[in-house]
Amino acid sequence: KKYQEGMKKTRNSFSGKLNDLIARYRKVDEDFFEELEEVLITADVGVTTVMDLVEELRMEVKRQNIKDTNGVKDVISEKLVEIYYGDDNEKIEKLNIQNEGLSVILVVGVNGVGKTTSIGKLAHQLKQQGKSVVLAAGDTFRAGAIEQLEVWGERANVSVIKQSAGSDPAAVIFDGLKAAKSRNADVLICDTAGRLQNKVNLMNELSKVKRVIEKEIPGAPHEVLLVLDATTGQNALSQAKTFSEATEVSGIVLTKLDGTAKGGIVLAIRNELKIPVKYVGLGEQIEDMQEFDANAFVYGLFE
Ligand code: GDP
């Protein structure tokens, strides 16, 4: 229900345009495909992904001998889902949380994308699932970041391990690991500073943090989540590229999907970067985040 509500803008825009296209064309021809490409690109599906998709669609339409545009809707949905998953057909790609021992989640992303909010929402969700959660305030760089994380810690009712502003993020996260272990916590979520201006610095900082984590907990971090703002469109895609060059990203949190009609970015991210979108942000409140399900997303577009 919330999901449908949060996706309203994308859904209205996309299904409106698509239905209009189908009504106007009736016959599936080259012009139809060209206009369909435009509709998809406008929804931020991304040029490369659109080209892949429409090529697949052409072949499928030929194979099934579809002449009428009404018959093409289902094929579009099927192909969108296929494009999303690529070769690995897993349906919902769950967060990697260990059954035993401490799971460590590192959260990265540039300022303003909704990183702090998403950490708060995630802590809340994990708590709802009966997990005990600790947060580490590893963004020691941005003014107010620590205090803001503390506010979310209070909302989610989890403790926040911190040092003063400007201190070494790796040291804060080290403290977080110690605290989480001594409290027998299930999950430690580590905030980090997202300075993209200098890729070398970013890379060094993240690898230092990762070394500290690995040393304390072999096999950790279990997730490196990159937070991206859906309203920034193709810019989000380029941020994802830069971050995945700096560190191994295991999943995406795509925020503010409620604020854009261009939700197609989710397909571009998966198809072009091969990184699964694990959560989508659909509002500013603590409950407004959901696991991403490509089937529900794609079929929701046509309702
Ligand atoms: P940070 O700088 O990356 O930590 O970003 P914040 O967590 O402070 O979020 C920046 C702004 O985006 C805040 O006003 C949040 O309320 C808002 N925000 C975060 N996630 C979402 C979302 O999913 N939907 C909407 N509409 N707003 C969001």
Side-chain angles (χ1 to χ4, degrees), residues 108-121 139 142 145 148-149 152 155 191-192 227-229 231 253-260 280-285 288-289:
V108 303
V110 303
N111 291 340
V113 292
K115 188 158 54 79
T116 318
T117 307
S118 300
I119 292 173
K121 290 171 174 175
D139 186 353
R142 178 167 71 89
Q148 209 193 331
L149 192 70
W152 277 103
R155 283 183 192 145
D191 194 7
T192 61
V227 184
L228 297 174
D229 177 345
T231 64
V253 179
L254 190 63
T255 63
K256 310 185 198 180
L257 212 50
D258 55 306
T260 178
V280 289
L282 298 164
E284 297 190 89
Q285 305 302 313
D288 297 338
M289 189 170 81

Side-chain angles (χ1 to χ4, degrees), residues 20 68-69 96 100 121 125 147 246-247 263 268 292:
D20 169 63
D68 180 353
T69 50
N96 178 22
E100 301 229 341
K121 290 171 174 175
Q125 268 197 20
E147 292 75 16
T247 187
F292 179 68

Side-chain angles (χ1 to χ4, degrees), residues 146-210:
I146 300 169
E147 292 75 16
Q148 209 193 331
L149 192 70
E150 285 185 299
V151 171
W152 277 103
E154 263 168 48
R155 283 183 192 145
N157 197 18
V158 300
S159 48
V160 179
I161 306 302
K162 58 165 187 175
Q163 288 184 10
S164 53
S167 54
D168 180 6
V172 179
I173 288 169
F174 182 76
D175 284 355
L177 287 159
K178 289 281 178 216
K181 280 212 272 191
S182 75
R183 294 172 198 189
N184 275 322
D186 299 307
V187 185
L188 174 70
I189 308 176
C190 306
D191 194 7
T192 61
R195 281 169 291 171
L196 253 199
Q197 297 84 329
N198 186 333
K199 201 157 92 186
V200 177
N201 274 355
L202 178 75
M203 227 184 285
N204 288 342
E205 188 166 306
L206 289 177
S207 43
K208 186 174 172 192
V209 162
K210 278 174 99 174

Side-chain angles (χ1 to χ4, degrees), residues 39-301:
V39 169
L40 292 164
I41 288 169
T42 316
D44 256 343
V45 175
V47 177
T48 322
T49 309
V50 171
M51 294 305 159
D52 290 353
L53 175 77
V54 174
E55 193 47 42
E56 290 273 323
L57 219 56
R58 278 200 186 89
M59 290 198 288
E60 194 59 27
V61 161
K62 213 168 173 184
R63 205 177 62 77
Q64 293 189 30
N65 198 20
I66 298 170
K67 297 262 187 284
D68 180 353
T69 50
N70 267 318
V72 98
K73 233 169 156 177
D74 286 346
V75 188
I76 295 176
S77 316
E78 274 163 36
K79 288 295 163 196
L80 280 171
V81 173
E82 262 180 49
I83 277 277
Y84 181 81
Y85 287 112
D87 294 330
D88 39 67
N89 251 328
E90 271 190 37
K91 291 305 172 210
I92 297 179
E93 290 153 305
K94 295 259 182 208
L95 200 66
N96 178 22
I97 297 287
Q98 308 300 108
N99 287 327
E100 301 229 341
L102 180 65
S103 297
V104 183
I105 302 173
L106 201 58
V107 184
V108 303
V110 303
N111 291 340
V113 292
K115 188 158 54 79
T116 318
T117 307
S118 300
I119 292 173
K121 290 171 174 175
L122 184 60
H124 174 72
Q125 268 197 20
L126 291 167
K127 273 210 81 177
Q128 302 282 90
Q129 293 163 20
K131 308 274 184 212
S132 58
V133 180
V134 174
L135 307 182
D139 186 353
T140 57
F141 185 73
R142 178 167 71 89
I146 300 169
E147 292 75 16
Q148 209 193 331
L149 192 70
E150 285 185 299
V151 171
W152 277 103
E154 263 168 48
R155 283 183 192 145
N157 197 18
V158 300
S159 48
V160 179
I161 306 302
K162 58 165 187 175
Q163 288 184 10
S164 53
S167 54
D168 180 6
V172 179
I173 288 169
F174 182 76
D175 284 355
L177 287 159
K178 289 281 178 216
K181 280 212 272 191
S182 75
R183 294 172 198 189
N184 275 322
D186 299 307
V187 185
L188 174 70
I189 308 176
C190 306
D191 194 7
T192 61
R195 281 169 291 171
L196 253 199
Q197 297 84 329
N198 186 333
K199 201 157 92 186
V200 177
N201 274 355
L202 178 75
M203 227 184 285
N204 288 342
E205 188 166 306
L206 289 177
S207 43
K208 186 174 172 192
V209 162
K210 278 174 99 174
R211 272 201 307 277
V212 168
I213 296 172
E214 268 160 29
K215 207 168 160 208
E216 280 306 299
I217 318 254
H222 303 89
E223 287 278 0
V224 179
L225 295 180
L226 170 62
V227 184
L228 297 174
D229 177 345
T231 64
T232 63
Q234 297 302 306
N235 195 15
L237 204 64
S238 76
Q239 279 173 27
K241 280 183 188 142
T242 310
F243 269 97
S244 53
E245 280 159 23
T247 187
E248 200 178 308
V249 176
S250 60
I252 307 267
V253 179
L254 190 63
T255 63
K256 310 185 198 180
L257 212 50
D258 55 306
T260 178
K262 300 182 164 197
I265 188 71
V266 76
L267 300 164
I269 288 171
R270 183 65 159 89
N271 183 49
E272 287 173 39
L273 300 166
K274 313 292 174 210
I275 306 171
V277 176
K278 299 214 170 177
Y279 290 96
V280 289
L282 298 164
E284 297 190 89
Q285 305 302 313
I286 202 161
E287 295 91 10
D288 297 338
M289 189 170 81
Q290 297 223 341
E291 277 181 342
F292 179 68
D293 176 345
N295 268 300
F297 175 80
V298 165
Y299 287 94
L301 291 176

Side-chain angles (χ1 to χ4, degrees), residues 17-18 20-22 24-40 54 57-58 67 69 72:
K17 283 180 189 151
L18 193 73
D20 169 63
L21 192 64
I22 284 171
R24 270 192 296 114
Y25 272 92
R26 301 233 293 282
K27 232 183 81 208
V28 186
D29 57 16
E30 241 342 274
D31 288 346
F32 171 78
F33 282 127
E34 254 169 48
E35 237 186 278
L36 178 64
E37 278 178 12
E38 250 176 68
V39 169
L40 292 164
V54 174
L57 219 56
R58 278 200 186 89
K67 297 262 187 284
T69 50
V72 98

